[in-house]
Amino acid sequence: MAVRFRSIVAALSLVVAPGAVVMGTATDAFAVTKISHSTATSMFREVGITWSSSGNCSDRNKPTCTSFEQLNLATAQGAQTLKRASGCALNITGGTETGHASGTYSHWNGYKLDFSKGTCVGNYIKNSFTYIGVRGDGAPQWRSASGNVYADEGNHWDVTYYNCGGC
């Protein structure tokens, strides 16, 4: 039965996001769907989200690149939700590339994206979400109704997507 369930889950992930891979097994409580860089960029283009890197590259193993390889599907969907809800220009400056802080809900593990600062997105976050205080590093944070956390790191927004933000 478990093999059949995994086959069904894998088939459904291909319907949801072509090129997606289901990580984990049927017994994993928090299995996530990982997507490729190509799938993520297609999803971002679909809603008008741009991305950039200081190294003009997308190699996951180079800290000056902006990569979406192994991004969680829910993270990409969360960015789409932010774009649609805010109507603001969004530019991603950090994805799953090496060089960010480690941890379970990290960039490397596909849970975080960095966005360029802008008046529109800043006002949207501060006026639409709940201020929850400062992080250990001093970054002020806001939590959306769905539980995603937006941290103002000074020169960019560091966003942790636990889910797709109501997609």
Side-chain angles (χ1 to χ4, degrees), residues 86-157:
S86 70
C88 299
L90 291 181
N91 181 63
I92 301 170
T93 59
T96 60
E97 66 281 346
T98 191
H100 298 279
S102 61
T104 301
Y105 298 104
S106 64
H107 281 272
W108 183 261
N109 288 336
Y111 287 92
K112 288 188 167 212
L113 291 172
D114 289 341
F115 293 96
S116 298
K117 293 284 281 280
T119 303
C120 180
V121 71
N123 286 341
Y124 178 80
I125 291 167
K126 292 174 182 178
N127 293 325
S128 302
F129 304 146
T130 303
Y131 178 72
I132 58 171
V134 296
R135 217 166 46 184
D137 63 0
Q141 303 175 100
W142 287 261
R143 180 177 289 125
S144 69
S146 63
N148 297 323
V149 176
Y150 297 74
D152 182 346
E153 291 192 344
N155 62 352
H156 68 273
W157 287 99

Side-chain angles (χ1 to χ4, degrees), residues 2 11 24 32 36-37 42 45 50 56 62 66 77 87 94 113 116 118 127 131 147:
V32 296
S36 68
H37 182 83
S42 292
R45 272 190 202 100
T50 59
N56 294 314
K62 292 185 180 177
T66 298
Q77 291 170 324
L113 291 172
S116 298
N127 293 325
Y131 178 72

